[in-house]
Amino acid sequence: LSRTHKGDTKRINEKITKIKTAIIDGDSALATSIANELVADPDSLNEAVEIATETIRDIGDQFEKGDIFVPEMIIAAETMQSFMEVIKPHLEGGATRVTGTIVLATVKGDIHSIGKDIVATRYRASGFEVIDLGVDVKPMDIIQSAEQANAQLIGLSALMTTSMPYQKEVIDLLTELNQRDDFWVLLGGGPVTPEYAEGVGADGWAATAAGAVPLTEPMLTTDGKPTATKFMKVER
């Protein structure tokens, strides 16, 4: 390599290393700045995405172990998102390789978002396209969004017992619309038990955000839309 080329490579490697620091520190401005510099060299982008993804996964694991707290987790996720918004259009094919598409929502009558936000972060870190509808979302709006996004999965969060019936309403509406076999429906939230989830006809339940992705992986082994087999749960 020429001295100039070696110098360029060194600078690119330094920028890639700084991505990890930016995400850990929650420095969105730095992450965006680095991303803008990296897009000038398309050959470096895949490695940059791998480093960023590995970093956000590590942060998620630290959160599950109790080593960091919710604000740190959320800020890191927002920094990762800022970085990827710049990088995505410049990757091969114009986007990252998508594992699957999931629509997430906290159901009607419930305004708690932290748990859902953490689940969204774990899915994004695993290569999923995440359509986050926010909180207090009506059942029909969830279904229509999943249909429009051509999603395979619907994740429904409820942190209040009074909002849990709306999880069931989404499943019942899908059945009435003859769309139940078009989506895997996953339930979660503090008061939601695996017994309740299975009883209302959901396809899966996970105890924590860390268990959400492992729960999903077996569901996406078939081509096209999913076909339900049996209820699945992850007790962690």
Side-chain angles (χ1 to χ4, degrees), residues 2 5 24 42 47 49 57 77 105 127 129 131 163 172 184 198 209:
S2 69
H5 187 74
I24 292 172
E47 184 180 355
V49 171
R57 282 176 178 163
E129 181 72 24
I131 312 298
S163 63
D172 291 343
W184 294 103
E198 185 172 13

Side-chain angles (χ1 to χ4, degrees), residues 151-153 180-184 219-220 222-228:
Q152 297 89 11
L153 304 140
R180 182 62 189 88
D181 291 339
D182 291 345
F183 310 98
W184 294 103
M219 299 178 176
L220 297 178
T222 57
D223 295 332
K225 290 294 184 182
T227 54

